Amino acid sequence: MKSLAIHGKEDIRWEDREAPEPRDGEVRLRVGFVGICGSDLHYYFHGANGEYTIREPLTPGHELSGVVDLDPSGRLAPGTPVTVHPARYGASVPGLEDRPHLRAGGDYLGSAAADPHRQGGASELLIVEDHMVRVLPEGLPLERAALAEPLAVALHAVSLAGDITGRRVLVIGAGPIGLLVVAAAVHAGAAVVGASDVRAEPLDRAQSLGATELALVGRDTIENESYDVVFECSGVGVALTQAVRAARRAGTIVQVGMLANAEIGVNLAPLLAKELTIRGAFRFSTEIDDAVAMLAESDALDPVISHVIPATDAVRAFELARDSSASAKVLLSL
């Protein structure tokens, strides 16, 4: 079989590997599509994602869909369409019963956090534990199903803001995750969803998903205290400053974008007088099941997928995926 492997900064290869054999409690999948995520971009373009440096060839990919190739238990027939919950959790911790994704010691597909690395889904065949498999509803295309993992991230972020029914919501950063947060906020009943970005093209995509107030950074002004809830999805410090200004008194900010692992300049002074709540959002727990159901409801999220490129052309795919003016979610086809 073939797999993608990142060996270091801007060094990705389509390599031969031995076909893996599933053991008891495991399922072998034939992967169809893999989404390129921000962490994958960091591994490829920088050889590291934050503090996690590539120390051995890493197969990227934690957003995926495919079909069952072999289930030793016989529970899942070959050809069954599936997606995957990419997390394995650490040991149980008191107080985190409802948040297993926050336990220390777990791992995630396509991550260099562990040593040896947790290899990801950009491979023709992939072994996963059976509890990670999610069977797709009839009629949900594999291509769209590759959005289940990032949509679960967005749904989790929106849930952290509480009930947003009838609220004014702003999404800062209209990249792939920001677009899915826009869709999730609309789905959750927000009265108004605004979006801001440094480029016009992502804002056009946000509008197609239900955003009705658009702000192009450098051209448009977001009024202070104009939104009840702000989702910061860019991971840029100055954007968090904007979120604090845009949030109304007693409002909520959810930090979704991954901030740099460094001291950054952020003005939080208005936080005190407005008694704002700032919450971090990290991956998700069970929301992938909600994501699968939402994706099966309609084709409304199809515009999030801007390109599908063969894994054999991974260099072009990664170059395209980091250009937000040219792409939204880029999928690799295997």
Side-chain angles (χ1 to χ4, degrees), residues 38-315:
S39 62
D40 301 321
L41 293 175
H42 283 296
Y43 283 129
Y44 173 64
F45 286 106
H46 308 294
N49 180 37
E51 60 185 305
Y52 306 129
T53 301
I54 291 179
R55 298 178 295 278
E56 62 180 342
L58 173 69
T59 297
H62 52 262
E63 309 171 1
L64 65 114
S65 61
V67 298
V68 172
D69 184 68
L70 177 61
D71 179 2
S73 74
R75 182 176 68 91
L76 297 173
T80 300
V82 299
T83 188
V84 172
H85 191 313
R88 297 189 299 191
Y89 301 133
S92 181
V93 177
L96 294 179
E97 290 83 2
D98 296 331
R99 300 185 187 182
H101 59 294
L102 299 185
R103 299 175 191 165
D107 62 20
Y108 217 69
L109 288 176
S111 173
D115 191 8
H117 300 338
R118 178 72 160 126
Q119 300 299 323
S123 181
E124 289 179 329
L125 296 173
L126 175 69
I127 299 288
V128 296
E129 295 171 16
D130 55 9
H131 64 84
M132 302 169 72
V133 175
R134 300 294 190 274
V135 175
L136 302 181
E138 185 176 354
L140 175 54
L142 283 182
E143 186 174 306
R144 190 190 309 156
L147 292 175
E149 192 275 348
L151 179 57
V153 171
L155 291 172
H156 179 68
V158 170
S159 75
L160 291 173
D163 185 4
I164 65 170
T165 303
R167 311 292 294 278
R168 287 179 51 82
V169 169
L170 173 65
V171 178
I172 298 178
I177 286 295
L179 292 175
L180 291 170
V181 171
V182 167
V186 171
H187 190 263
V192 173
V193 178
S196 72
D197 202 276
V198 297
R199 298 177 185 270
E201 295 87 353
L203 292 178
D204 291 339
R205 300 182 194 113
Q207 186 173 37
S208 74
L209 294 170
T212 56
E213 296 182 355
L214 308 177
L216 182 64
V217 175
R219 184 194 70 185
D220 304 318
T221 299
I222 298 174
E223 296 297 327
N224 292 346
E225 302 188 25
S226 54
Y227 289 94
D228 302 300
V229 180
V230 182
F231 296 94
E232 200 299 290
C233 298
S234 72
V236 178
V238 68
L240 181 53
T241 295
Q242 175 65 79
V244 171
R245 291 175 180 157
R248 285 182 172 161
R249 294 169 187 264
T252 299
I253 297 168
V254 181
Q255 183 63 41
V256 187
M258 294 295 289
L259 294 167
N261 185 29
E263 294 185 13
I264 57 176
V266 178
N267 183 359
L268 298 179
L271 173 76
L272 286 75
K274 293 201 279 187
E275 292 193 356
L276 299 178
T277 298
I278 298 183
R279 301 198 62 170
F282 183 69
R283 295 177 180 166
F284 57 90
S285 176
T286 61
E287 287 89 349
I288 196 164
D289 300 309
D290 300 321
V292 169
M294 185 173 166
L295 290 167
E297 288 176 1
S298 76
D299 60 1
L301 294 185
D302 284 358
V304 175
I305 301 171
S306 60
H307 298 81
V308 180
I309 296 176
T312 53
D313 200 6
V315 170

